[in-house]
Amino acid sequence: MAVLRSILFILFFYPGTLVYVLGVIFVSPFGDGPVQATVHGWSNFHHWLVRHVLGISFAIEGRVPEGAYLIAFKHEAMVETIEALRFARKPVVVMKRELTTIPLFGWVTLRYGVIGVDREAGAKALRTMLAEAKKAIAGGRPVAIFPEGTRVPHGQRPELRAGFAGLYRALGLPVVPVAHDSGRLWGRGLVKQPGVIHVRVGEVIPAGLKRDEIEARVHAAINVLNS
């Protein structure tokens, strides 16, 4: 049954995504509001498919506050990258640059407001993140980041990428850590297992901490469900 559910999800999600991409292109001349509403509609569409086709629900503890924050997500699967749009008000998401170069879809991500980062670019990548993140903050939007840099299987606890601490220090923002266990159900292969993804929004970590302390606190907070 999980195989059938997963195939149906693909058959609905990717054609549906194309419809939303075209929708963003159509409404783009009318301003940021319609663009953001269409992108959030896509996120809700994805959430509905995850819930009703894949049979995956979410048990969420806590809430991401509104305002200028750096939101740090554990990264185990694709699902949380899209769900991130539902956790915060119009977040600007830091993602790998390759996703912003996908025809049509990449243009839509940039039009909505994402930060595409070349993970091999070192200091240049940090400068890009910083410049784009400052634009987001000026517009009253939080910045969502996956500080591990890439997806990791459930149970793994890699060190955070150096760019996270640099961005934290440069922006001077408090951090909202978000832990989850999506990798238990949502692996890299085709088949997704039904069940419950647990999400825990941690306590806000203040701005201005030293690198060792902020990395240790964020690392611990995003891994509290990683057992």
Side-chain angles (χ1 to χ4, degrees), residues 71-145:
I71 308 170
F73 285 86
K74 179 70 179 173
H75 197 11
E76 295 185 356
M78 181 190 81
V79 62
E80 64 265 13
T81 63
I82 302 176
E83 286 294 315
L85 300 176
R86 294 172 50 85
F87 280 104
R89 184 175 179 272
K90 300 185 294 184
V92 172
V93 182
V94 178
M95 63 172 59
K96 60 183 180 181
R97 188 182 62 83
E98 291 86 344
L99 293 175
T100 67
T101 63
I102 298 173
L104 297 181
F105 179 82
W107 182 88
V108 167
T109 65
L110 294 172
R111 180 65 181 83
Y112 171 79
V114 306
I115 303 173
V117 177
D118 182 353
R119 292 179 294 192
E120 306 302 321
K124 182 179 178 181
L126 178 57
R127 289 195 296 270
T128 299
M129 279 197 296
L130 180 57
E132 295 299 323
K134 285 183 175 179
K135 291 180 184 178
I137 295 168
R141 301 174 68 177
V143 177
I145 189 170

Side-chain angles (χ1 to χ4, degrees), residues 54-79:
L54 292 178
I56 297 174
S57 60
F58 295 84
I60 302 172
E61 180 181 335
R63 180 175 177 272
V64 174
E66 291 189 10
Y69 291 94
L70 192 56
I71 308 170
F73 285 86
K74 179 70 179 173
H75 197 11
E76 295 185 356
M78 181 190 81
V79 62

